[in-house]
Amino acid sequence: MGVDFGRSGHHAGAFDPTLDELALLAESAGDTAVARVVARRQAPDAALFVGSGKADEIKLLVDAHQAHTVLFDQAISPAQQRNLERVLGVPVADRTALILEIFAARAKSHEGKLQVELARLQYLATRLVRRWSHLERQSGGIGMRGGPGEAQIELDRRMIDERIKTIKERLKKVQRQRSTQRRARSRNGVFKVSLVGYTNAGKSTLFNALVKARAYAADQLFATLDTTTRSLYLEAAGASVSLSDTVGFIRDLPHKLVEAFQATLQEAADADLLLHVVDAASPVLDEQMVEVERVLAEIGAGDIPQILVYNKLDKLEDNQRPRSPQDWIERDGGERVSRVFVSALTGEGLDVLRQQIVAAMSSMAELPAGQDVTPADLNSPAAAPDEQGLPSGDPSIWSENDDSAAFPTQA
């Protein structure tokens, strides 16, 4: 169920007219979408989020399809959830609850499980009061106000608060361990590269193709939740870099989840270079890129140099394929960013990507010691190609086989 509040509405931008992504999320959670409903409103209905007429229409659909859950594309309040469940007669969940459910099923590592449990408890804490409302009506003993209902709510809230406190302590410990590992890597002078991108853009497949690892990769949303780091040897640089695969981002990723996954996402924030993986075959790749940039800014990784990796080249029609395997595009703020077209599945373009990583490493190594790298340094005129597709500067110092140079767009 999706509600379009119009461009000016509070939920503008948080509406998917096809509800495809919500259906994919449901699929990832093991459900099958049997019907889709889209409504238009000026503002959310205080009691039911949708109007009572639309709620009755959904009720008919639930009965006709024998559906067991109704999923909302936007976040709904605990009161709206309770009222809807009463009208529809089946459980109601919103996008946040669905994402949490997938994360809970997918988390493998100790850290991942802790992060998901923390986010779920924080989400549940706001809904507790509604869930136990049937107990509040029970009366207490003579002369006593309230009753077992209140006691139950208090007990549950106290248990949840204590559990949240315990998990936060444990996560702090895990974060300390991770930062120790990261410090060891930076002491070794290892160049850190992190894969980031929208969920299901093909990060894990690319990771496996680059480092010959066997990290879990599947065509589904949030296949990877735990960070995996491997060493990637770059022949052209005569050195190894550490490559990390991170959790995918998604539109309206609940803030509590971003908070809970701080330890995992820290891997991206501490990287020297980000490979921003984009699904080149996605019809909404621009929106997905904006979402990734937003989360990167939120975790303090907005200023890290990037290479845009347009993946899934194998899914493009011949007339959609790029003329060159690598070019430069201008992003907001006028900075130029290297863009590489690859297919992680077939291996096409991976050599060019490796050369771009080497070029990024050498342009950072040329900076004065102690100077912070900015995206502008990576995309300086010396590193950027001129109109002929060759790096500008003194042509005599560039040769086609010179791997240390920013690689020409055309061989």
Side-chain angles (χ1 to χ4, degrees):
M1 172 76 218
V3 185
D4 182 6
F5 293 104
R7 282 275 161 235
S8 58
H10 168 62
H11 292 261
F15 176 69
D16 168 13
T18 60
L19 295 179
D20 282 347
E21 194 170 81
L22 188 67
L24 272 176
L25 279 169
E27 223 170 88
S28 292
D31 294 324
T32 311
V34 288
R36 300 178 189 204
V37 183
V38 171
R40 291 183 75 95
R41 286 185 69 86
Q42 293 300 118
D45 179 72
L48 293 167
F49 194 70
V50 292
S52 53
K54 189 55 81 173
D56 292 340
E57 186 188 318
I58 300 169
K59 171 95 176 98
L60 290 172
L61 274 171
V62 167
D63 295 343
H65 290 282
Q66 306 246 294
H68 59 74
T69 311
V70 176
L71 299 173
F72 277 76
D73 196 30
Q74 290 107 330
I76 53 177
S77 73
Q80 288 166 336
Q81 183 182 350
R82 184 188 53 173
N83 294 338
L84 280 163
E85 286 177 348
R86 203 173 283 158
V87 172
L88 304 176
V90 292
V92 170
D94 61 10
R95 194 183 165 88
T96 307
L98 188 54
I99 292 174
L100 284 170
E101 196 174 307
I102 296 166
F103 273 44
R106 298 276 163 77
K108 293 277 184 288
S109 69
H110 172 60
E111 177 191 5
K113 286 175 180 164
L114 285 176
Q115 288 169 331
V116 175
E117 192 182 346
L118 175 62
R120 283 185 94 175
L121 286 172
Q122 287 171 329
Y123 177 77
L124 190 65
T126 61
R127 291 169 194 256
L128 250 194
V129 112
R130 312 293 172 195
R131 285 284 169 216
W132 290 100
S133 56
H134 62 290
L135 292 174
E136 286 167 28
R137 289 188 294 277
Q138 297 176 8
S139 55
I142 299 166
M144 286 177 68
R145 294 194 58 210
E150 268 80 359
Q152 183 67 60
I153 289 171
E154 283 312 312
L155 279 171
D156 278 22
R157 188 171 286 134
R158 203 171 315 130
M159 271 167 56
I160 283 187
D161 286 347
E162 279 165 18
R163 184 79 188 129
I164 286 176
K165 214 165 20 193
T166 312
I167 293 174
K168 279 186 169 169
E169 286 303 316
R170 283 200 194 161
L171 272 173
K172 271 195 190 120
K173 203 170 152 187
V174 173
Q175 264 167 326
R176 280 199 297 275
Q177 287 167 350
R178 267 202 185 279
S179 62
T180 307
Q181 290 165 354
R182 274 196 294 269
R183 270 202 305 278
R185 281 207 295 274
S186 55
R187 267 204 304 276
N188 297 341
V190 177
F191 188 84
K192 299 182 291 293
V193 181
S194 268
L195 289 165
V196 295
Y198 208 77
T199 181
N200 208 25
K203 290 183 300 300
S204 296
T205 310
L206 180 63
F207 179 78
N208 289 340
L210 285 170
V211 298
K212 310 282 188 289
R214 288 198 185 88
Y216 179 67
D219 183 13
Q220 56 183 193
L221 303 185
F222 299 118
T224 308
L225 288 189
D226 300 310
T227 301
T228 316
T229 302
R230 293 279 184 280
S231 185
L232 166 65
Y233 181 71
L234 294 166
E235 207 174 321
S240 289
V241 298
S242 83
L243 185 68
S244 300
D245 185 16
T246 59
V247 62
F249 303 153
I250 195 165
R251 172 172 67 79
D252 301 336
L253 188 66
H255 187 73
K256 286 277 177 256
L257 262 185
V258 175
E259 257 175 45
F261 272 75
Q262 201 68 45
T264 305
L265 295 170
Q266 198 57 41
E267 209 66 53
D270 287 349
D272 296 307
L273 175 69
L274 296 178
L275 299 185
H276 180 169
V277 186
V278 180
D279 178 354
S282 167
V284 288
L285 64 88
D286 289 335
E287 289 92 323
Q288 293 180 349
M289 285 167 73
V290 167
E291 197 52 45
V292 172
E293 293 292 351
R294 194 186 61 72
V295 180
L296 285 175
E298 203 174 315
I299 61 171
D303 291 332
I304 297 171
Q306 280 187 19
I307 293 174
L308 285 173
V309 184
Y310 275 51
N311 189 24
K312 306 197 183 179
L313 205 48
D314 50 286
K315 285 195 174 178
L316 296 180
E317 300 294 329
D318 286 346
N319 61 347
Q320 296 175 308
R321 291 175 71 86
R323 283 197 295 273
S324 163
Q326 188 266 328
D327 61 12
W328 297 77
I329 61 170
E330 212 164 272
R331 287 200 316 183
D332 295 345
E335 66 175 84
R336 301 181 80 197
V337 179
S338 173
R339 172 171 62 171
V340 183
F341 295 91
V342 305
S343 165
L345 211 58
T346 66
E348 187 184 351
L350 293 187
D351 286 348
V352 182
L353 176 57
R354 285 191 185 93
Q355 284 148 356
Q356 285 298 306
I357 296 172
V358 173
M361 285 172 73
S362 51
S363 59
M364 288 187 211
E366 284 159 18
L367 290 171
Q371 182 182 326
D372 282 344
V373 183
T374 65
D377 295 316
L378 252 191
N379 311 314
S380 62
D386 62 14
E387 279 66 30
Q388 279 80 45
L390 290 168
S392 54
D394 179 3
S396 64
I397 61 169
W398 301 104
S399 77
E400 285 188 11
N401 301 322
D402 183 6
D403 282 318
S404 64
F407 207 70
T409 38
Q410 281 136 5

